[in-house]
Amino acid sequence: MLWIPIDRSLDIPLIKQVYQNIRKRILNGDLQSGEKLPSTRELSSELKVSRNVILEAYDQLLAEGFLVSQRGSGTFVAEGAFLKQRENAPSFHSLNWGEDKNKDDHIINFRSGIPAVDLFPRKTWAKLSHTTWNETSPSTFGYDLPEGRPELRQILSRYLLKTRGVDCHPEQIVITSGATQALTLVSKLLLSPDDLVIIEDPITNDIQTIFKTSGSALYPIPVDKYGMKTSLLPLNKNPKFIFITPSHQFPLGGTLPIQRRIQLINYSRETNCYLVEDDYDSEFRYEGPPVSSLQGLEPERVIYIGSFSKILSPALRLGYLILPSHLIEKCRRLKWFSDLHTPSLDQLILARFIDEGYLERHITKMKKMYKNRRNFLIHCLKTTFSNKVNIFGYSTGLHLIVEFNEQYFSKEILEEIEQSGVKIYPVEEHTIEKGKHPNRIILGYGHLKNEDIKEGVTRLHQAIYDVNSIK
Ligand SMILES: Cc1ncc(COP(=O)(O)O)c(C=O)c1O
């Protein structure tokens, strides 16, 4: 007799329990082709379930081809329903709702670009979500416009003019799933194999990969403490665009002065190329006057990219692209074929969040807190390493750079440092031409509390001391 364990305490209907058990046993070869199954009457009486349960489970297995029925003689396992199981098939664990996947209590991680996600304005967001989900018209639950919700684009164009000097009509904005999707769209919009992209060096690995994926070549221009060294822009080249992070160079932290911005614009006019401006975190500027966007100086040539990942949360996956008008239609089509559109309800919640003044209040609050963390990190570094380090790139954003006088950060040394419970990131990880920044590391502090910052710097100091005393 076929024994099938039935568990009435489960949420799974009995029909499904019987069906799944037989199906699994046929697939893995426990029940072999030609084998006869008990009659529905026998099995129902054996398992103490109603006959209908067995009838429906058999019917489904017959419909899917696992079983065949032969009139008058019974129900049999069909031919060809055995599937050889993969060796080392991955096992899947049960879901752990809300589990912190990045949590490692042991390590203090100075990873850059992570905001203080524990201070995300959950209550306000939940309140606005509730209102939005309840009050929005039914049509919003259908397919939407690839360029995004008009409400969000309108509010953004006003907000960006006021805060970043961005000069655009709402029609020029395409809402994206973060800056990363905006960069991918720009790549698809402008690049063909063998095209040339001029790019800052260092710049994040991810951005290099996105542009290289189109088959383009990267022409790196070194960065100093102000940003791209525009005096090194090449003659006799025809780049498709120049990629820059002028408000806050990633990772070295400079802010591009007006003279270099003008040089960039003149160069782009001469070579007829675009300027792609990535403005990923400049809302958090702690020193000096606020800097305006490059886009405001040359709206017809600059493609401007922004993101809510740092000012709110990377989990929202909300960003935007501002395009010269002649590129809009092609970009709309690319966005449509990429993911149709960014989730509409999230866009509406964000629009309310900005419109009702919550975003500006949140930025003001976070800026104060990040400035405090930054100052504390600088203080810890100075008191711990005194004149052995030079700290720079800290006027904006969520990370800074530490340059060591006599310490190089090879892969082995970084591993040893990690062993001692602190993770740091070398600038070299983001360079195109290798070997120019071997003694510089990036320390992200936005997500770290002061006690972790202090402990992290102490561990780093001890690890460097240990590494050198072993040598
Ligand atoms: C320079 C730069 N641009 C863009 C991004 C991507 O941000 P998003 O989360 O919006 O895709 C990052 C992420 O850290 C970044 O460092």
Side-chain angles (χ1 to χ4, degrees), residues 177-180 183 203-204 207 245 250 278 280 307 309-310 314 317:
S177 297
T180 303
L183 289 159
I203 188 66
T204 76
I207 292 176
T245 47
F250 187 91
D278 181 0
Y280 63 103
S307 171
S309 289
K310 317 294 169 188
R317 305 312 306 137

Side-chain angles (χ1 to χ4, degrees), residues 85-149:
Q85 297 302 298
R86 277 186 295 152
E87 280 168 25
N88 304 325
S91 64
F92 295 97
H93 303 293
S94 58
L95 292 175
N96 249 331
W97 295 104
E99 183 192 35
D100 195 346
K101 63 186 183 317
N102 293 320
K103 196 162 181 229
D104 182 345
D105 287 336
H106 166 64
I107 294 215
I108 293 171
N109 194 339
F110 280 104
R111 187 174 157 188
S112 64
I114 320 244
V117 285
D118 52 331
L119 296 177
F120 180 80
R122 285 189 195 219
K123 275 199 184 138
T124 309
W125 198 266
K127 182 184 83 179
L128 298 179
S129 302
H130 190 260
T131 315
T132 308
W133 280 85
N134 281 323
E135 292 179 3
T136 304
S137 72
S139 65
T140 312
F141 290 78
Y143 288 110
D144 217 326
L145 300 169
E147 64 270 34
R149 295 293 306 181

